[in-house]
C-alpha cells in the first residue's frame, strides 16, 4: 500500500502539479478473490438502463444452438462480445471525481479491485426471431373439438410461458405475432387453427351474413354466437370474427366490420394451396366467384401471398407466402432468387419488406443483396452470387 509521501513522490517524478489535481489519491490493489471469470460486463444504451432503473427486467433468450438475444418488454437486441485492448477493472467502492470533495486535505483512499475483464457484451437492436413461433404452433394445429388428440411428444402444446422461454423476441413482439398468425388460446394453450377448419368457421359466418341479409360492415356478435353456437364452440366463432373483422360497439351491443381484404386473401390461399400453378385468368374468375357476394377481388390483395408470372403464356399465379420464407436476410434472398432468377422491385418488395429495419429501405436491401440490370426497358434484380 502506498503512503501519501510515496504518492507525492510519484507526482513529482511524473512532473504533475498536485494543485491541479484533487487532493485525494486512490490506491488500487487486487483482492484475493478477483477473477476474470467471475464477472461479465454488459454495455447498455440509455433506454435499457432506464428499464432497469424503473425496476423492470431484461431477459436473455436462446437455446444452446442459437445466438443469444437480450429482450426488454417490447424490443429485441442482438448480443455480441467486444474485445478491448485496455483491461476493464471492477471497483465497487471506487469514488468518482464528482463524489470527491476538492477542499479536503490530501489523503489516500485504498480501493480493492473485485474483478477484471478484457471484453464486454454490447447490444444492438435487431428484428425479433419469430419464424420459430409458427413452426412450434404448426406442430399441432387446432382442428376443432372433434379433432383434438391426446397431448404427446408428437402433439405438443405451448402456454405463454413456454413461448417466452423458447422464442427469441420480447413479450410484446410475440403477442403481436400471435395476433398476425390468428392464434388463440384453447384451454390455456396457444393454438393456430388448421387452415381447413379456419375456412370452415369463416364460411359459417359469411353464410349467416348472407342468410340474414346483414351488411358486412355491421355483423352482430350476439346473434352469431346464438345461431352458430350449436355448430361450433362460441369461443371459435368469436375468434374468427376478431381475426377477420374489426370490433365496434353501438348502443352497448358488439358488432364486427368484416375485412374484405382478409376474406379475399384467405379465399385465394384456399384456392392456390393445392395447385402448383394456376392460369391467372381462370384463377381470377374462380376467385371472384368464391368470395361472398358484394366483395371485390384484386391482385394487390395478395401481396406477400401469391406470385404472378407474366412472362409465361398463359400468365400464371402460384402460392408463395412470405411467412414460409427464411428469416435470415441472405437466406431469404437466396431462396427468392432460386424461385425466380430476376425480379422487379414491385414483385420482390412484399417478400423483403419485413427484413427492413426502422432506418433501412427496400432499396438499400436490394443494393446490398442484389445486382440491378435493365430488361426490355424495365429495371430488374438478380443475385450477386451464383445460386446452387
Amino acid at each position: 500500500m502506498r503512503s501519501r509521501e510515496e504518492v507525492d513522490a510519484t507526482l513529482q517524478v511524473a512532473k504533475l502539479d498536485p494543485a491541479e489535481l484533487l487532493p485525494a489519491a486512490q490506491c488500487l490493489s487486487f483482492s484475493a478473490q478477483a477473477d476474470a471469470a467471475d464477472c461479465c460486463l454488459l454495455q447498455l444504451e440509455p433506454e435499457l438502463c432506464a428499464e432497469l432503473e424503473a425496476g423492470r427486467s431484461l431477459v436473455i433468450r436462446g437455446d444452446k444452438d442459437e445466438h443469444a438475444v437480450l429482450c426488454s418488454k417490447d424490443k429485441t437486441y442482438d448480443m455480441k462480445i467486444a474485445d478491448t485492448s485496455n483491461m476493464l477493472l471492477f471497483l465497487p467502492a471506487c469514488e468518482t471525481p464528482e463524489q470527491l470533495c476538492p477542499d479536503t486535505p490530501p489523503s489516500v483512499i485504498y480501493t480493492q479491485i473485485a474483478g477484471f475483464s478484457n471484453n464486454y457484451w454490447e447490444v444492438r437492436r435487431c428484428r425479433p426471431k419469430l419464424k420459430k413461433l409458427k413452426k412450434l404452433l404448426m406442430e399441432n394445429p387446432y382442428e376443432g373439438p372433434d379433432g383434438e388428440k391426446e397431448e404427446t411428444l408428437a402433439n405438443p402444446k405451448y402456454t405463454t410461458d413456454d413461448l417466452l422461454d423458447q422464442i427469441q423476441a420480447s413479450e410484446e413482439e410475440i403477442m403481436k405475432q400471435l395476433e398476425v398468425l390468428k392464434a388463440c388460446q384453447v384451454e390455456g394453450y396457444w393454438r393456430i387453427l388448421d387452415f381447413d377448419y379456419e375456412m370452415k368457421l369463416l364460411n359459417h359466418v359469411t353464410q349467416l351474413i348472407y342468410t340474414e341479409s346483414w351488411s358486412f360492415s355491421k355483423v352482430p356478435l350476439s346473434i352469431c354466437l346464438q345461431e352458430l353456437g350449436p355448430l361450433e364452440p362460441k369461443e371459435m366463432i368469436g375468434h374468427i370474427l376478431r381475426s377477420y373483422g374489426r370490433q365496434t360497439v353501438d348502443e352497448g351491443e358488439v358488432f364486427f366490420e368484416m375485412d374484405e381484404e382478409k376474406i379475399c386473401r384467405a379465399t385465394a390461399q384456399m384456392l392456390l394451396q393445392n395447385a402448383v400453378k394456376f392460369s391467372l385468368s381462370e384463377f381470377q374468375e374462380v376467385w371472384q366467384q368464391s368470395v361472398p357476394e358484394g366483395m371485390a377481388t384484386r391482385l394487390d390483395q395478395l401481396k406477400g401471398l401469391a406470385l404472378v408470372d407474366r412472362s409465361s403464356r398463359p400468365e400464371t399465379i402460384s402460392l408463395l407466402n412470405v411467412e414460409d420464407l427464411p428469416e435470415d436476410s441472405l437466406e431469404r434472398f437466396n431462396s427468392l432468387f432460386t424461385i425466380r432468377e430476376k425480379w422487379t422491385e414491385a414483385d420482390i418488395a412484399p417478400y423483403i419488406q419485413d427484413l427492413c429495419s426502422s432506418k433501412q429501405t427496400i432499396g438499400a436491401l436490394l443494393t446490398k443483396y442484389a445486382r440491378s440490370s435493365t430488361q426490355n426497358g424495365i429495371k430488374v434484380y438478380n443475385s450477386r452470387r451464383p445460386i446452387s
Side-chain angles (χ1 to χ4, degrees):
M1 295 290 184
R2 291 187 178 187
S3 65
R4 183 67 218 192
E5 291 72 20
E6 289 173 319
V7 171
D8 291 337
T10 303
L11 292 176
Q12 189 173 0
V13 171
K15 297 181 180 179
L16 295 174
D17 183 1
E20 296 178 355
L21 306 174
L22 289 169
Q26 300 196 58
C27 183
L28 309 182
S29 62
F30 285 92
S31 70
Q33 293 79 32
D35 189 343
D38 287 343
C39 305
C40 288
L41 282 173
L42 181 63
Q43 185 182 62
L44 297 178
E45 59 184 40
E47 185 178 355
L48 289 176
C49 287
E51 289 281 312
L52 293 176
E53 290 167 354
R56 291 185 284 270
S57 299
L58 300 178
V59 184
I60 296 175
R61 293 193 171 116
D63 288 338
K64 290 181 179 179
D65 60 342
E66 295 173 328
H67 191 83
V69 298
L70 183 74
C71 298
S72 65
K73 186 73 175 176
D74 60 349
K75 295 182 180 67
T76 304
Y77 298 83
D78 199 14
M79 297 180 67
K80 290 183 179 178
I81 291 180
D83 293 321
T84 174
S85 56
N86 297 319
M87 182 179 289
L88 302 170
L89 305 179
F90 306 152
L91 304 166
C94 181
E95 295 186 54
T96 63
E98 292 77 12
Q99 295 172 308
L100 296 172
C101 181
D103 300 327
T104 58
S107 61
V108 177
I109 301 172
Y110 299 101
T111 305
Q112 282 202 325
I113 299 168
F116 56 93
S117 178
N118 287 316
N119 54 52
Y120 60 93
W121 287 94
E122 62 179 8
V123 298
R124 183 174 299 174
R125 181 78 187 277
C126 68
R127 297 193 317 275
K129 298 171 173 40
L130 294 165
K131 291 290 180 184
K132 187 177 178 181
L133 180 58
K134 182 177 181 180
K135 181 182 177 183
L136 292 178
L137 296 182
M138 286 304 293
E139 292 172 352
N140 186 18
Y142 185 69
E143 299 175 356
D146 297 334
E148 278 297 81
K149 311 154 189 166
E150 287 187 26
E151 187 177 350
T152 64
L153 290 176
N155 304 304
K157 298 176 184 176
Y158 300 94
T159 64
T160 299
D161 286 343
D162 293 333
L163 296 179
L164 289 172
D165 188 50
Q166 297 194 49
I167 305 302
Q168 291 186 288
S170 69
E171 182 173 357
E172 189 172 303
E173 289 166 331
I174 290 173
M175 291 302 159
K176 284 181 181 178
Q177 186 64 14
L178 285 168
E179 186 176 338
V180 170
L181 295 173
K182 298 194 286 290
C184 63
Q185 283 186 299
V186 179
E187 298 178 350
Y189 296 97
W190 283 102
R191 310 290 296 277
I192 285 183
L193 302 191
D194 174 79
F195 187 66
D196 290 339
Y197 181 60
E198 183 180 327
M199 294 308 294
K200 178 183 175 184
L201 291 169
L202 182 59
N203 187 58
H204 282 323
V205 171
T206 54
Q207 284 295 325
L208 181 63
I209 293 171
Y210 178 75
T211 302
E212 299 289 340
S213 299
W214 292 332
S215 165
F216 278 101
S217 62
K218 199 171 186 180
V219 179
L221 172 63
S222 58
I223 300 178
C224 285
L225 297 179
Q226 179 182 324
E227 294 294 325
L228 300 177
L231 302 176
E232 298 292 346
K234 291 183 178 180
E235 295 80 11
M236 291 297 105
I237 301 301
H239 173 66
I240 212 70
L241 285 167
R242 288 189 295 273
S243 297
Y244 286 91
R246 184 178 65 86
Q247 183 175 312
T248 60
V249 178
D250 185 7
E251 296 182 355
E253 187 174 356
V254 176
F255 294 89
F256 282 89
E257 180 183 347
M258 304 309 291
D259 191 310
E260 178 177 284
E261 181 169 327
K262 286 183 178 180
I263 294 174
C264 291
R265 190 178 172 91
T267 306
Q269 183 175 346
M270 178 186 67
L271 295 172
L272 292 170
Q273 65 179 354
N274 296 319
V276 178
K277 283 189 178 180
F278 211 127
S279 166
L280 179 59
S281 58
E282 290 180 12
F283 166 77
Q284 288 179 291
E285 184 178 345
V286 173
W287 184 26
Q288 182 59 61
Q289 293 171 353
S290 302
V291 299
E293 187 176 346
M295 290 192 173
T297 59
R298 306 183 312 276
L299 286 178
D300 65 2
Q301 296 167 337
L302 305 184
K303 289 179 179 179
L305 178 68
L307 186 61
V308 174
D309 184 356
R310 298 196 180 276
S311 64
S312 64
R313 293 292 177 267
E315 295 177 341
T316 60
I317 186 170
S318 56
L319 186 68
L320 181 59
N321 195 336
V322 66
E323 293 178 2
D324 299 327
L325 294 174
E327 197 164 41
D328 177 76
S329 297
L330 180 58
E331 291 178 14
R332 174 81 62 89
F333 275 91
N334 286 344
S335 179
L336 290 170
F337 287 127
T338 300
I339 294 167
R340 177 184 285 184
E341 183 182 357
K342 295 183 178 181
W343 293 74
T344 63
E345 183 173 344
D347 284 344
I348 202 171
Y351 294 103
I352 60 173
Q353 179 69 58
D354 62 313
L355 299 178
C356 296
S357 64
S358 57
K359 298 179 181 179
Q360 195 173 35
T361 63
I362 287 175
L365 268 181
L366 288 170
T367 300
K368 184 175 181 180
Y369 293 101
R371 179 181 288 110
S372 65
S373 59
T374 303
Q375 183 175 295
N376 299 325
I378 300 173
K379 192 174 186 179
V380 294
Y381 295 87
N382 63 289
S383 177
R384 282 189 170 274
R385 52 185 63 81
I387 301 296
S388 57

